[in-house]
Structure formats: C-alpha cells, structure tokens
Amino acid sequence: MKIVLAYSGGLDTSVILCWLRQNYDAQIIAFCADIGQEEELEGLAEKARQTGAMKCIIEDLREEFARDFVFPMFRAGAIYEGQYFLGTSIARPLIAKQMVEIALAEGADAIAHGATGKGNDQVRFELTAAALAPDLRVIAPWREERFRKQFPGRAEMIAFAEANNIPVAASAAKPYSMDRNLLHISFESGMLEDPWFDASGPSARDMYKLTVSPEEAPDAPEYLELKFHQGNGVAVNGKPLSPLQVMQTLNKLGGKHGIGRVDIVENRFVGIKGRGVYETPGGAILHFAHRQMETLTMDREVMQLRDGLIPKYSALVYNGFWFSPEREALQALVTETQRDVTGLVRLKLYKGNIIVAGRKSPKSLYDAKIATMENSTSSYDQGDATGFIRLNALRLKLRATIHSKTESR
C-alpha cells in the first residue's frame, strides 16, 4: 500500500507517519507544501525519511497560494465571524489539491492527514479530495478508535515520538500546536483551551513568531502606501510587487508594529466552539486597505450586495467548500465588483493599530463638488431632499396613523 501524507514535521504528523507505516504496512510519501513556513522547512525532508517515509516531496507553492487563494479571498472581503482572517482555512484546499495530484502521479492508494476528528481541517482536506478525486481513499487516523486509544493526549504522542527517535518541537512545557503559512500563524490547544487564559500576557510572550506585542512596538508611527488594481494589492511604497512579495512585505511591516494579533472563540463546522490565537500582520493590513479602496470606488448598491455575501463566502472557505460550485459562482460576482477597485491607500501603522491616512483613485466615485458643504460650488440641490424624505416617510406615516386609530378604539 502507498499513502501520501500531508506532513509538516510537527508532533501530530510525525507520529502519524510512523504509525501509518507500522499499522498499515504501507509506504509513506510525505508531502509538504511550502506556503511560507520559513525556517520550519529546514531539515524536513531528512526528518521525514528518518521517521520512515519512502520519500518526501516539498513543493514551493507560495506564489500560487498568494495569487490564486489569498488574493481572491481578500477581494471578497472575507473574514469569518467578524475576526478571523481564514489563514488556515484557505491553505487547506491548496495543500489537498496538490496531495491529490501527487497521489495520482505516484499511483498511491490513499491520502492521509493529521487533522483531528473534532476540528475543521478534516472537512477541508476531504471535501477538496471529494471534489477533485472522488474515488481516492482518505485515511484519517484521529478518527480511528485504535489510534485514539493509543494516544489519548499529547503527552502520549510526545512519549511515542521519544521512543521512536522522532525529534519534535512540542513538549510538556509548550503543549500548544502551531500552524504557519504566508498569511498567518495559528496557535491552539494546551493552555489556550482555557478561554480565560490571557494570551496577550507575559506568560505567552514567547509564543508569538510574526509580531511584537503592541507595547513593544516602535513609539513612532510608520506610513506606507499600498496600490491596488482591480482589488489586488500590486505595489507597496511605489514598488511593484507580486502577490507573494506583497504579503511578505506587509508581514514584516505589520509584525514590526504589533499588528494582526487576534484571539477568538470561534464556531467550528462540526458544532464545537474552539479557542484560537492568530497572528496575521500582512493580512490585517491588506484587508483594511482593501476596504478603504472600496469605499472610494465601489457603487453603494454593489457594495451592499457584496457585503451581504461576506458571511456566506467566509463560511464556505472556513467549512472547506473552496472547490464548490457556489463558491465559484460567488467568486465570479466578486470579480465583477472589483473591476474599479483601483488606486492608492496611505496607512499609518502604530502600536497594533492600522489608521487610514488617505486614499485616491482614478476610478473614484467621490465628487467634492457634490459632497461639499459650500453652497456656492455644490452641484447638489439641497431642496431636492424635501421630496425624497417625504416619499420615504410615507409608509412610516401611514403605519403610525393606523396604529394610532387602533389604539384609540
């Protein structure tokens, strides 16, 4: 048997690689998508082979991730439950897509992942596989009773790793799990399972990787200019950049100023509430700046239509339906709404805050001659508002009159 395993080199996937080889008598192809893990990839291939993989495939998907997944999602203004920038959610369909392609090319019998049976990633991986290769088998060890009996907690996994000479970063002192990519780093489990635990406090200071705390950020603000073309960030401070370079540049700037830390209790797709802490410095800046550009260039009714679809679009991404017909249909509408979202946004970064400091666009719908309060130069006749208000008030007056008559009886 041959299995393609989504492999990160962390505690869970390292243990699962060894466990699959032992319990399925299988050859394991470890696959890691380079989507911005940086130093976490160092020595990964050798580690996978030492753990028992027949081969380790690492593919640089960073540009594709930024261009074809992150940017389309940000054009849609997606943000889950008003706080989460969907950093893990948007990465899973790309990883799963590539796993499927490798499995088909290698003649593998199945793909496998280390997502738990309580989380969202299991759904994201498997819905993608179902959409792209419906006949391919998926193995999810965490949903097998024999695996859960052997590993009732992270302590047992750490002990198994030590017994099998598998080096892992997790320990009893730092039991939380971490997932990193170009868009964010997520932290969960361990001490974070207590929603009263202060993840911004001194005891958690060493946990963060991408950002300084706002208290430690520079005392002087920093300005930046972000250029957009049809909803995509295309240049920072006058320098044209690819989607990957935009994210890398904004991550550094945002991290320097303590921007993008989010601590939320979110509703998982399976019905469980979970607590997650996230660092999304570049994504927070891009999301904010994109909205500022839209306020200047998008028609009111188009904006309200698109905004009404943000919860639906975000839920589709969060729940793993990236390769679904409904997400693709929404994306087509989003593309149309972004046709004129072009121009320049100036921002001020300061101690965890993103402050707009100006915006301009050749596609601007803002007309100072209409908006001005100076009557002599305004092309807007304020007298027209009288009839406008009268017509909008008509139904309210009729309702009030009817209620008044009913109450007097």
Side-chain angles (χ1 to χ4, degrees), residues 188-228:
E188 62 180 8
S189 79
M191 75 283 194
L192 299 177
E193 291 180 351
D194 177 7
W196 189 249
F197 176 80
D198 182 6
S200 71
S203 62
R205 183 165 295 174
D206 293 339
M207 180 177 72
Y208 297 95
K209 304 294 182 182
L210 297 180
T211 61
V212 301
S213 67
E215 296 93 334
E216 296 173 329
D219 292 329
E222 182 171 358
Y223 288 83
L224 73 90
E225 292 184 353
L226 182 55
K227 184 179 180 181
F228 285 89

Side-chain angles (χ1 to χ4, degrees), residues 95-166:
I95 296 171
K97 176 181 79 72
Q98 207 66 18
M99 286 177 67
V100 166
E101 293 179 4
I102 291 172
L104 296 177
E106 295 280 347
D109 303 282
I111 62 172
H113 60 77
T116 74
K118 292 184 177 181
N120 302 301
D121 280 345
Q122 58 178 337
V123 185
R124 296 163 184 157
F125 279 119
E126 296 181 39
L127 289 182
T128 296
L132 302 181
D135 296 327
L136 189 63
R137 181 182 175 186
V138 179
I139 298 173
W142 276 108
R143 297 207 301 268
E144 295 189 27
E145 186 176 358
R146 56 178 174 165
F147 183 87
R148 295 195 304 273
K149 282 185 176 181
Q150 186 173 350
F151 304 109
R154 296 182 71 80
E156 287 78 12
M157 298 189 78
I158 293 171
F160 178 88
E162 292 175 349
N164 288 273
N165 298 314
I166 303 170

